[in-house]
Amino acid sequence: MAHDACPGYSAEPYRTLCAEYPDAGVYPAVDFRVEWGPIFHRGRLDGTAQLLVIGQDPAAQESVARRILIGAAGHRVQGLLAKLGLTRSYVMINTYLYSVYGQSGGEKHSADADIAKYRHRWLDALLVGSHIRAVLTLGHLADEAWQRYRTTSTGKALQVAYQHVTHPTQPDSASKGSEVKRKELTAVMLQGWNAAIDALRRAITQPDVQVPVAHYGADFKPADLVEIPERDLPPGMPPWMRGSEGWATRTGTGAAKRRTITITIPK
Amino acid sequence: MAHDACPGYSAEPYRTLCAEYPDAGVYPAVDFRVEWGPIFHRGRLDGTAQLLVIGQDPAAQESVARRILIGAAGHRVQGLLAKLGLTRSYVMINTYLYSVYGQSGGEKHSADADIAKYRHRWLDALLVGSHIRAVLTLGHLADEAWQRYRTTSTGKALQVAYQHVTHPTQPDSASKGSEVKRKELTAVMLQGWNAAIDALRRAITQPDVQVPVAHYGADFKPADLVEIPERDLPPGMPPWMRGSEGWATRTGTGAAKRRTITITIPK
């Protein structure tokens, strides 16, 4: 059986963008895990994308698979795309190229000009003269990144629908272990996602597949989580990297933890 | 500063080769770590390679970086290439797409027709009508793979120089912890490598850089180990992945060990 895979960054302008990524001079190592390298995107770079998703920052699994939004948040987003009828015509980048370290790192650098400058080059590459009909941001940092891009000359000129939703794992982190709280926050979040679905379906009139309108209930159901497509990862990546079960964790403590990721293939 | 990177497999025939890799039906899971996915190559796929290196099978680090020969063996090979004046005009594949599991797995499957069939497609792609002047095999399994290819119609027709040397980490594994034995085996191995250098320099008359003849002494010196070039790894891979210090180990025991790789960034 033939396998599908992401062809990567060999075509321009992405080849040059990947050659010129900002390093610790722009992303301070005290607030970003620059030592794991930048992780650029997931999805179509060939001009076929109709939706651009902007996430926040890569996690441990993304540092290994070298594509963004493949973990818990990624499976939720993939489910949202399925409700829009998008099985391939999407592309995703993050607000930050590197994983945020510590609680406040992400907030602290939301207005950094040099971080934005490079992100704007990606946004220009993805959006100007493209088939993208709509932009979806996950979480307030991504929303801020988008609003900032909208003040640039190219950003101003764009005609795309825009929706901003709560980040897919915000209920999990904000509930701090309380299941009651997590359920509450998830229900509120999914109401927002339902509204976004309605708006995005109006903007994306020719999806990959025609699907009936389907909204979320009060919590995620198993069917709301969708596996990351094989075509989104580099060639030869094993299938469990695209599954919903976690497979990479930062192990150890303190400085050693920052330097360590343990990969365990799910049973 | 602009970063260089491997453009990957988006161009044919490599795109199709990466789509059609053999799975556990061809590589039995009892003898190969198929669960980590196939790892295809390292080096130039754009027709500029002058030397083809055939190694044995990928190790733990290669399962993460998704390119072959980047660990201890890779640094020794890179040093050998440097003595040929090759800084970029080379390409490497392995005898086996997957990491060998257990002592005898590699030997047991050296004559498997289906494993050879797919490897021959890569060899055809790399060699037929190419600029490759010479082939170097590392270890006896790679030599057998080459001899087998030489019996095919395309393999028979090729005019390339050929050298077979002892696998770069053979002295380490065969000495089983005895430093005296390791030194002995290394000295013998490097005599063979010196002979190969002389033969390969005659075949590769227009290397990337002109370098004076330099042979190995009785053991590897620090200068004999050369860092893996940035252009050989996918975009955004951190520099320590190309360094000579080990950074990935199979941790745990038994079945759990087979499912686990721990990445630790060197200090």
Side-chain angles (χ1 to χ4, degrees), chain A residues 4-50:
Chain A
D4 218 338
C6 174
Y9 308 100
S10 59
E12 292 294 358
Y14 303 103
R15 188 170 189 149
T16 297
L17 281 171
C18 289
E20 298 179 354
Y21 62 80
D23 59 14
V26 169
Y27 279 90
V30 67
D31 293 317
F32 295 98
R33 293 184 173 93
V34 286
E35 65 272 27
W36 291 93
I39 302 149
F40 299 106
H41 105 299
R42 175 158 77 85
R44 311 290 80 70
L45 296 177
D46 59 1
T48 62
Q50 298 189 59

Side-chain angles (χ1 to χ4, degrees), chain A residues 222-243:
Chain A
D224 294 329
L225 308 178
V226 173
E227 189 176 84
I228 310 305
E230 190 177 47
R231 71 171 67 89
D232 285 11
L233 288 199
M237 291 304 212
W240 48 264
M241 282 196 184
R242 302 182 283 106

Side-chain angles (χ1 to χ4, degrees), chain B residues 165-242:
Chain B
V165 295
T166 299
H167 190 278
T169 53
Q170 184 269 349
D172 308 73
S173 47
S175 58
K176 298 183 195 333
S178 155
E179 176 62 7
V180 174
K181 186 78 180 160
R182 187 199 64 75
K183 281 200 162 182
E184 253 176 57
L185 292 172
T186 301
V188 174
M189 176 175 85
L190 291 178
Q191 281 190 342
W193 284 33
N194 285 337
I197 286 171
D198 295 338
L200 293 170
R201 285 179 67 108
R202 282 193 296 274
I204 297 163
T205 51
Q206 297 188 299
D208 302 318
V209 287
Q210 294 291 343
V211 290
V213 177
H215 287 134
Y216 291 96
D219 203 346
F220 286 104
K221 296 188 188 71
D224 293 329
L225 307 178
V226 173
E227 189 176 83
I228 311 304
E230 189 177 47
R231 71 171 66 91
D232 284 12
L233 287 199
M237 291 305 212
W240 48 264
M241 283 197 184
R242 302 182 284 105

